[in-house]
Amino acid sequence: MTSVATLESSGLNLEAGRIVQTVEALNNRIDERFAGSGLGQLAQELHLISTHAVERLALAARPIPALRAAIAACIIALAVLLIEIVLRADFPAGRPDIYSLVDVVEASSNILFFIGLMVLFLVTLESRIKRRRALHFLRELRALAHIIDMHQLTKDPDSVLRAHTGTASSPERELTQPELARYLDYCSEMLSLVSKVAALYAQNFDDPVVLAAVDEVEGLTTGLSSKIWQKIIILDRTIPPVAEAS
């Protein structure tokens, strides 16, 4: 398995390596029970994303020296420009009247305002680049959660509890009652792990926009998982108690 680093900081934290190991174990379980299935392909994709999440978090934690050097050079250039403007300013000789003073203050305020905006833009540029990367990865997780939900949409407990006559457009019903329960359980586990991978970004990005996106992913996976568990509860009430491997 790809080596992973444990995220270290004070307090309670998720360990990225443990999450990747859990995803890999789930991937193996699905492949052993539903070999070649679409759900197994999704588990492989989740394993790939979780492994890359470790690398992406490590990359995002490192500074960008070239960008910082460029920003420092731009700020110095702005400071030199401001000094040059002050030195070349044509101040009125003698005691200025109120109108001349207002003009000077207004012009100076406009210059300082725009220079301040430029400095603020440059200072926050690195964090905004990291934010954009994190949001891109979180959108990937959100899309994966929706795809997992699509795989369980046609897995209706009623289809195995009662006899039905399908139509030409009806989905194939190949799973037995215990297999369907296990399939839905795997879907719920995958959604939970999607949420855990997203939570890694929450503990490594102190950014309100990223935190809001992580909360959105967690809320989405919780809502989708609750729908799956309604199906699982229906099946558990009707499946005979038989010893079965997970």
Side-chain angles (χ1 to χ4, degrees):
M1 185 183 69
T2 304
S3 61
V4 294
T6 301
L7 302 177
E8 298 178 353
S9 58
S10 60
L12 296 176
N13 286 281
L14 290 170
E15 292 185 358
R18 295 291 181 86
I19 293 177
V20 174
Q21 291 171 4
T22 305
V23 173
E24 184 178 30
L26 177 60
N27 182 19
N28 294 335
R29 289 162 55 203
I30 294 176
D31 187 60
E32 291 166 0
R33 187 176 294 275
F34 302 109
S37 65
L39 190 65
Q41 295 176 5
L42 277 181
Q44 294 174 8
E45 183 67 21
L46 178 57
H47 179 249
L48 185 64
I49 290 175
S50 62
T51 303
H52 285 174
V54 179
E55 302 170 358
R56 291 164 176 173
L57 287 167
L59 178 64
R62 292 198 298 266
I64 309 176
L67 179 62
R68 292 188 176 186
I71 291 174
C74 290
I75 293 177
I76 293 173
L78 288 174
V80 172
L81 177 62
L82 180 60
I83 295 173
E84 185 71 14
I85 291 174
V86 172
L87 294 178
R88 291 179 177 272
D90 187 14
F91 295 103
R95 184 177 181 180
D97 55 48
I98 186 63
Y99 299 105
S100 299
L101 185 60
V102 169
D103 290 339
V104 170
V105 171
E106 182 180 3
S108 302
S109 300
N110 290 335
I111 293 173
L112 290 175
F113 176 75
F114 286 111
I115 289 180
L117 286 179
M118 295 180 67
V119 170
L120 179 63
F121 172 82
L122 292 172
V123 169
T124 60
L125 181 59
E126 182 177 1
S127 63
R128 285 185 286 110
I129 290 175
K130 293 179 179 180
R131 174 197 295 174
R132 186 169 62 250
R133 291 175 179 173
L135 292 177
H136 172 74
F137 302 145
L138 290 170
R139 283 194 296 270
E140 188 178 41
L141 290 172
R142 187 165 58 243
L144 182 61
H146 282 293
I147 296 173
I148 294 171
D149 182 56
M150 289 176 63
H151 273 70
Q152 67 84 30
L153 282 178
T154 58
K155 304 301 184 290
D156 186 7
D158 193 57
S159 64
V160 297
L161 298 179
R162 295 183 180 90
H164 287 276
T165 302
T167 66
S169 301
S170 297
E172 296 182 2
R173 312 288 187 180
E174 298 179 349
L175 300 180
T176 64
Q177 192 171 346
E179 287 175 340
L180 179 58
R182 186 60 61 199
Y183 189 100
L184 293 172
D185 185 52
Y186 288 155
C187 289
S188 179
E189 287 188 50
M190 288 180 64
L191 287 171
S192 178
L193 288 171
V194 168
S195 176
K196 298 302 179 290
V197 175
L200 291 175
Y201 291 93
Q203 73 180 18
N204 286 275
F205 285 89
D206 189 16
D207 184 284
V209 178
V210 174
L211 295 179
V214 171
D215 288 340
E216 181 183 346
V217 173
E218 292 180 340
L220 172 65
T221 55
T222 299
L224 296 178
S225 184
S226 64
K227 294 191 305 180
I228 295 175
W229 271 101
Q230 292 176 6
K231 296 181 179 181
I232 294 176
I233 290 174
I234 294 174
L235 290 170
D236 284 346
R237 290 175 178 175
T238 55
I239 295 177
V242 179
E244 180 186 10
S246 62

